[in-house]
Amino acid sequence: MRCRGNGIVDMSLVVRGVPPSDSNTGKLLPVSIDLEPGESYPLRISPYGQNLDYTLPVEWVETFPDYSLLLRVAGSARADDPFFTSLRGTTNFSYQLRTPATVTGRENELVWLGGGLDFSSFREDVAPLLEHCRAGNTNPMDREMGPAVEIAATPMATLLDVNLDFLPESQRQSFRRILEGERWSSESSPRLPLLTYFAFHQAYWERCATTSDVPMSFYMTTPLPKVRTIGIQDEDYASFVVSASVYPQVSRETYDNEIRNDFSFDVVTQRFDEAMERQKDAWLSVFAHHGCSGEVYDAFREAVSNNLPYLEYRNGSREVIVDFGGTSFDIRLPQPINLEMAREIAAAEMASVNNSLFTRDYPGQILRSIAVGNFALADRIEDEFIAAIVNPFVGNSENPILKLLKPLMEFESAMKRQSNIIAAYAVGRMHILGSCGEPTTSYQQDTVYWTEYTNGLGQYVSSSAESRKTDYASVPSKFDSIVRTHNSITTSAFLSSQMATIISRLSCDSSIRVQLEDNLIAYFNGSAPAHIRPISND
């Protein structure tokens, strides 16, 4: 490819048309095709995973003894053509000759010749070239740009002669493939390069962080199977955060797209989590033997980064394209990517020194996460709580009844945004601390009780006399909309006890009380945290 000027891209390239194999012998089918000079035999080029195609005329053809054809495609297009502007970052293209070939010796049997292209330099070379062409420039370099070939010269492992004998045989082979830059095959799960990347950085944090002077930022691995706060090198921070953010949906969509699943999604998730932990232990061994810096470390760090999928995202957006080459995913995240907020939240989590202020039960941990400003962790705790209620005995999560109940509970939870816990806190705060000088709103709630009696067939027989109960409560007016959403001023004895324990540790003058209450309102409203701060000792 090259710019001709005036926004025109020269699309001329040479490709190989390969016939299909014989199902019995495995050899390429013998084919013949009549291609006359000057006639149009267009070639159709399509990117994998996208509903796009571009058709170009064939200019020149050479046949080979193995029945494949070498085709020179000649043509041009505008750089702002929808085919180019709609590409989502994929580097893999399939192509097919639009004229069929005849199978030799089989009358009237036609086959289509095609193949694939890997533009491995697309993002580095071709994408900037297209931008250059759109501006009306001629080619910025005195050379053509086209499909790059795989370079197999001097693998890194040969240059370094890395000793991996301390690893088990299976891991030794796997790590050597990583070091040599061998990409995961299309038959492998897309989860594997992501998990390898996560394991590498978690192991580095555990083994090397205390002795490293490399600039690092904290990140809380809330989207991953195990939640932990770790340090990530600043150069790798964005890639790690975005990769971790998309991992749950990539894993789920991979599972749903697999032809056969012998285990539930929960079981598969657990097994990949165990695989990541084993990889982390292996990386710890690598760092113990080869150190946390130097040629070996640099080679492995570069290799695991290069093996990641292409991630197309924008800070502040919820949309991410995850492209593994032949497989791609369009991900919409629950929350927008915010790298700076991720740093602030993790730093606040690391600096929190008074976590005992909150109870260790579900309501207390929800309030603690919201107080810090870690709304994603509050959502994670809630998701796990819902899963435990829907599936208390950890049965098959793919059970149709469970798959029906869980979304219904998640929808109700999303609509109410922890209004039951926040309303209980508001009532308890007034009862224990009073108004703290803030405006208040009072409520009266009338409840009617009666008992219905049925027979052994469940048929109605009679009802008891009605009894009435009236409850009164006041809350700070800033919680009024939340109480009305919850539609009740009463709560369970357990929740009341939890709130009383937490609130009794606060005071009207407590800055952590103000921090918590501001964040409770922001969380309920679906806004960004009002404060991102540690749990302090005040």
Side-chain angles (χ1 to χ4, degrees), residues 118-281:
D118 180 10
F119 279 76
S120 60
S121 64
F122 183 87
R123 300 178 192 100
E124 294 79 11
D125 295 336
V126 181
L129 172 65
L130 291 174
E131 291 295 330
H132 191 84
C133 292
R134 291 186 189 113
N137 300 308
T138 55
N139 197 42
M141 303 177 189
D142 190 21
R143 62 184 178 85
E144 293 188 2
M145 295 183 180
V149 297
E150 285 215 23
I151 299 174
T154 58
M156 185 64 72
T158 302
L159 292 174
L160 298 179
D161 191 23
V162 178
N163 176 22
L164 298 174
D165 292 343
F166 51 88
L167 294 175
E169 178 62 28
S170 59
Q171 286 186 331
R172 191 184 316 152
Q173 295 177 0
S174 174
F175 275 55
R176 196 166 295 283
R177 286 196 296 269
I178 293 171
L179 193 60
E180 293 174 353
E182 182 177 328
R183 296 190 62 84
W184 300 96
S185 68
S186 58
E187 290 78 19
S188 300
S189 170
R191 305 174 184 94
L192 294 177
L194 292 170
L195 293 178
T196 298
Y197 187 73
F198 301 149
F200 175 88
H201 285 283
Q202 292 183 43
Y204 182 83
W205 168 248
E206 290 185 17
R207 175 78 188 185
C208 306
T210 56
T211 59
S212 174
D213 58 358
V214 177
M216 304 182 79
S217 297
F218 291 121
Y219 176 66
M220 197 165 191
T221 61
T222 306
L224 300 183
K226 288 188 178 179
V227 179
R228 46 171 73 105
T229 303
I230 64 174
I232 306 294
Q233 293 188 34
D234 285 347
E235 289 184 0
D236 300 314
Y237 192 81
S239 294
F240 193 99
V241 172
V242 178
S243 296
S245 299
V246 302
Y247 176 74
Q249 292 184 54
V250 168
S251 181
R252 179 78 241 190
E253 291 190 29
T254 299
Y255 179 88
D256 291 340
N257 292 335
E258 287 171 342
I259 297 176
R260 174 180 175 180
N261 288 305
D262 295 326
F263 302 97
S264 71
F265 177 67
D266 291 340
V267 171
V268 170
T269 299
Q270 180 181 356
R271 293 191 174 182
F272 275 103
D273 180 35
E274 292 168 353
M276 183 172 70
E277 291 299 311
R278 288 194 297 271
Q279 275 225 0
K280 188 191 75 172
D281 292 340

Side-chain angles (χ1 to χ4, degrees), residues 357-395:
L357 175 66
F358 298 92
T359 62
R360 298 185 64 82
D361 295 300
Y362 172 73
Q365 291 305 296
I366 289 289
L367 291 189
R368 194 210 74 84
S369 300
I370 293 176
V372 172
N374 195 348
F375 292 177
L377 181 57
D379 292 341
R380 162 82 180 245
I381 294 170
E382 181 183 35
D383 289 344
E384 293 178 347
F385 182 70
I386 291 174
I389 292 176
V390 173
N391 192 11
F393 302 109
V394 196

Side-chain angles (χ1 to χ4, degrees), residues 502-521:
I502 295 168
I503 296 168
S504 63
R505 297 168 180 170
L506 302 173
S507 70
C508 286
D509 298 328
S510 169
S511 62
I512 192 65
R513 177 192 65 79
V514 176
Q515 175 180 331
L516 169 61
E517 293 179 2
D518 289 349
N519 276 356
L520 287 173
I521 295 170

Side-chain angles (χ1 to χ4, degrees), residues 411-428:
F411 176 77
E412 182 181 8
S413 173
M415 295 298 292
K416 292 191 172 182
R417 298 291 291 172
Q418 300 294 349
S419 61
N420 60 329
I421 293 178
I422 301 175
Y425 171 87
V427 172

Side-chain angles (χ1 to χ4, degrees), residues 419-480:
S419 61
N420 60 329
I421 293 178
I422 301 175
Y425 171 87
V427 172
R429 203 269 257 175
M430 278 293 295
H431 179 69
I432 296 173
L433 300 181
S435 69
C436 293
E438 299 174 349
T440 62
T441 301
S442 299
Y443 308 90
Q444 175 182 318
Q445 178 175 301
D446 298 314
T447 308
V448 180
Y449 300 90
W450 71 91
T451 303
E452 290 188 351
Y453 300 96
T454 59
N455 60 22
L457 299 177
Q459 298 168 326
Y460 173 80
V461 175
S462 62
S463 299
S464 67
E466 293 182 351
S467 62
R468 294 178 178 272
K469 179 184 178 184
T470 300
D471 294 287
Y472 302 90
S474 296
V475 303
S477 297
K478 60 187 178 183
F479 291 108
D480 177 56

